Amino acid sequence: MLNKIDENIYELPIGYKEGMRVPGRLFISESLLEMVEPGTIEQVANVATLPGIVKYSMAMPDAHLGYGFPIGGVAAFREDGGVISPGGVGFDINCGVRLLRTDLTVEEVRPVISDLIEALFKEIPSGVGATSRLHVSDSELTEAFIAGARWAVEEGYGTEGDLEHCEENGCLKGADPSQVSTKARKRGRPQFGTLGSGNHFLEVQYVGEVYDERIARRFGLFKGQVTVMIHCGSRGAGHQICTDHLEVLAKAVRKYNIDLPDKQLACAPIGTPEATNYFGAMAAAANYAWANRQIIAHWTREVFAKYFGDVEMPLVYDVAHNVAKIEEHMVDGRLERLYVHRKGATRSFGPSRREVPQDYRDVGQPLLIPGSMGTPSYVLCGQDRALELTFGSACHGSGRIMSRSQAKKTYRGSEVKASLQREGIKVMATESAVLAEEAPEVYKPSHEVVEVVHALGLAKKVAKTIPLGVSKG
DNA sequence: ATGTCC
């Protein structure tokens, strides 16, 4: 059924499932493919049946089972005849990663890592349903939905330079706060400026290895340097927005007579009110997430300032790995406007794209690939080759191989914590169960995932960061 | 991921 067509590329032919409009493509190694559940392959095939899908239904090497679309899925739809689907974005709209760099070295930070993590844990609220020490009014929330990270910067959280180093400058155009329900606002307002739970984290790390000196220098990275990685999304706001609009889109599927192999692929034709309204609400959630990461980054800088004085902590970059965006891509020799859905997939634009910030333009955008808790993360650089293969996309992380429930049965939080402590990694979490759910063993090895995208030329390895301490939900 | 089932 899966045909190997090249090294690390497998194709799922149109004939695999009735209704497929395009083939499926998995960008994955043989050994990682063995870890992919059959259901995930099925989801790749299901996405290929959606109206207006262009080229292929794609899966990155960290692919696993998701809601409707696989996590690690990339699908692009033409404006004329295509659809937009919340399943292709995910519940945590604009879940993403940002990386701050410092001019501190691992030798300076390691001796105080325990206190530093305790301070970060205290200052940056985390956990399920955590509430913020920031109190925004309803109109301020509306402004954040519209302006994203810029709203936070204008409120004094961070600098103009931060915005230049955010994907989309930290703001998706077309956000429509009128499509955000009262319920979503009610959940999102008190959580604005919180980390969340699950695989979300704030990690103090250091650059353990540099693979490409020239690009690392361009990103401001050097061996032994301390960095901070923040991984979080749109909290209850994005979750509620997704839930609300799934309900509307389930009806739209019947209204517009769309034949779906799975109800979880609920969608609406681009241009219909249902699709436009979801897109407006999704953009609002994406902007909330960017502002959220911006606020958290600011508080992180404040904590570092207490310990290390007036330390500079520029933003290396901020990537969105759960989002749908309008982008121009070459299709059969023509430039077309496409709705690119990346769910658990990172944009990987090389030098030829004007979306890459000016100071990275000659090398490509940074990609931030978090490892699982206690394992290395990677900084990659976008490559033009990705435009040919994946609409300019690559992997987003390690990818789960064990369910949360199974992980809780298999591991104990206290033991996971002790084992990390033995490696010198300080861990703080609101709930011990989260540590069991996020045990390093429940994820695919991140280095294997990164090797595949590097070998395919989707993104280039630049540096590896090693955890010193982590604050979690 | 998520007020982990209104």
Side-chain angles (χ1 to χ4, degrees):
Chain A
M1 56 157 194
L2 268 179
N3 303 321
K4 183 170 180 173
I5 60 165
D6 208 339
E7 207 50 49
N8 296 318
I9 305 180
Y10 293 81
E11 186 154 297
L12 200 57
I14 281 192
Y16 173 77
K17 185 170 208 153
E18 203 189 320
M20 281 173 73
R21 296 165 194 261
V22 294
R25 275 213 173 177
L26 287 87
F27 298 89
I28 198 163
S29 63
E30 201 175 326
S31 66
L32 286 171
L33 185 58
E34 284 172 19
M35 299 181 208
V36 175
E37 330 76 318
T40 305
I41 312 277
E42 219 51 39
Q43 290 189 325
V44 173
N46 290 344
V47 171
T49 71
L50 293 175
I53 186 165
V54 179
K55 281 191 182 175
Y56 307 103
S57 164
M58 303 174 185
M60 300 298 116
D62 48 343
H64 58 112
L65 208 62
Y67 180 89
F69 288 56
I71 294 163
V74 176
F77 299 86
R78 59 178 56 93
E79 197 162 36
D80 183 17
V83 293
I84 180 158
S85 173
V89 173
F91 274 83
D92 191 5
I93 296 163
N94 190 8
C95 183
V97 186
R98 67 166 51 192
L99 187 73
L100 300 167
R101 60 187 170 91
T102 71
D103 47 14
L104 300 164
T105 63
V106 57
E107 290 80 13
E108 291 170 272
V109 174
R110 208 197 290 275
V112 295
I113 190 65
S114 189
D115 288 355
L116 185 62
I117 293 295
E118 277 173 33
L120 288 164
F121 184 75
K122 184 165 157 273
E123 295 301 322
I124 296 150
S126 62
V128 179
T131 54
S132 181
R133 56 193 172 90
L134 174 71
H135 299 281
V136 290
S137 67
D138 217 41
S139 65
E140 285 173 315
L141 189 63
T142 301
E143 287 168 28
F145 280 143
I146 294 168
R150 175 167 295 285
W151 176 85
V153 168
E154 283 172 1
E155 292 292 308
Y157 299 93
T159 68
E160 198 69 27
D162 293 341
L163 301 178
E164 282 164 34
H165 282 178
C166 287
E167 193 171 322
E168 301 293 321
N169 301 120
C171 179
L172 269 194
K173 291 186 199 76
D176 184 357
S178 77
Q179 292 304 319
V180 179
S181 68
T182 309
K183 203 172 173 184
R185 284 176 167 276
K186 205 176 166 187
R187 286 180 70 177
R189 216 169 91 167
Q191 295 181 342
F192 204 28
T194 63
L195 201 52
S197 182
N199 64 0
H200 290 164
F201 63 75
L202 188 155
E203 189 171 273
V204 179
Q205 353 168 286
Y206 69 96
V207 178
E209 204 164 341
V210 169
Y211 305 105
D212 189 307
E213 280 291 346
R214 184 179 73 98
I215 302 177
R217 209 173 306 126
R218 181 53 49 89
F219 292 167
L221 300 173
F222 59 88
K223 195 169 175 181
Q225 172 189 28
V226 169
T227 56
V228 178
M229 186 173 272
I230 296 162
H231 179 202
C232 65
S234 50
R235 309 287 286 108
H239 193 274
Q240 191 62 48
I241 284 169
C242 183
T243 305
D244 291 340
H245 285 264
L246 273 171
E247 212 172 294
V248 176
L249 291 179
K251 288 180 194 141
V253 168
R254 292 194 290 276
K255 180 174 164 189
Y256 299 110
N257 285 315
I258 303 170
D259 209 7
L260 295 180
D262 178 359
K263 278 163 73 175
Q264 293 186 353
L265 295 173
C267 58
I270 292 162
T272 62
E274 292 89 345
T276 303
N277 291 344
Y278 168 67
F279 194 82
M282 188 269 309
N287 294 341
Y288 174 103
W290 267 312
N292 192 33
R293 291 197 286 275
Q294 185 64 39
I295 294 159
I296 290 171
H298 180 74
W299 288 337
T300 302
R301 287 167 173 158
E302 285 184 346
V303 170
F304 268 71
K306 270 188 218 159
Y307 280 82
F308 306 105
D310 199 10
V311 54
E312 287 270 316
M313 292 181 72
L315 180 63
V316 175
Y317 206 56
D318 179 308
V319 301
H321 59 217
N322 271 8
V323 80
K325 289 200 293 199
I326 303 167
E327 291 173 359
E328 288 186 332
H329 287 276
M330 291 300 287
V331 182
D332 302 328
R334 280 212 332 266
L335 201 60
E336 278 199 55
R337 251 164 74 94
L338 302 177
Y339 282 64
V340 182
H341 293 58
R342 294 192 183 91
K343 181 197 197 173
T346 308
R347 193 184 74 180
S348 180
F349 280 178
S352 75
R353 295 292 299 220
R354 63 174 182 271
E355 291 93 335
V356 177
Q358 202 57 48
D359 51 347
Y360 298 153
R361 192 62 197 278
D362 60 332
V363 291
Q365 69 159 92
L367 279 74
L368 309 169
I369 313 298
S372 57
M373 183 177 58
T375 67
S377 298
Y378 291 86
V379 179
L380 312 180
C381 183
Q383 300 289 291
D384 283 338
R385 175 80 175 134
L387 292 173
E388 295 165 37
L389 291 177
T390 58
F391 299 111
S393 314
C395 63
H396 87 303
S398 317
R400 282 196 95 84
I401 44 175
M402 189 189 288
S403 70
R404 294 187 181 279
S405 54
Q406 188 60 41
K408 275 192 277 197
K409 284 181 213 157
T410 314
Y411 302 102
R412 288 181 61 90
S414 55
E415 283 165 13
V416 173
K417 184 172 180 168
S419 144
L420 291 168
Q421 213 93 314
R422 279 194 293 278
E423 291 176 51
I425 301 167
K426 166 82 174 182
V427 185
M428 289 199 73
T430 49
E431 279 205 62
S432 172
V434 172
L435 299 179
E437 288 178 15
E438 297 299 317
E441 294 81 4
V442 313
Y443 284 94
K444 292 176 189 176
S446 55
H447 63 92
E448 270 191 59
V449 170
V450 163
E451 286 305 334
V452 173
V453 303
H454 179 85
L456 281 165
L458 296 177
K460 199 171 197 293
K461 277 165 66 181
V462 176
K464 175 163 84 172
T465 59
I466 312 290
L468 286 168
V470 54
S471 171
K472 292 190 58 69

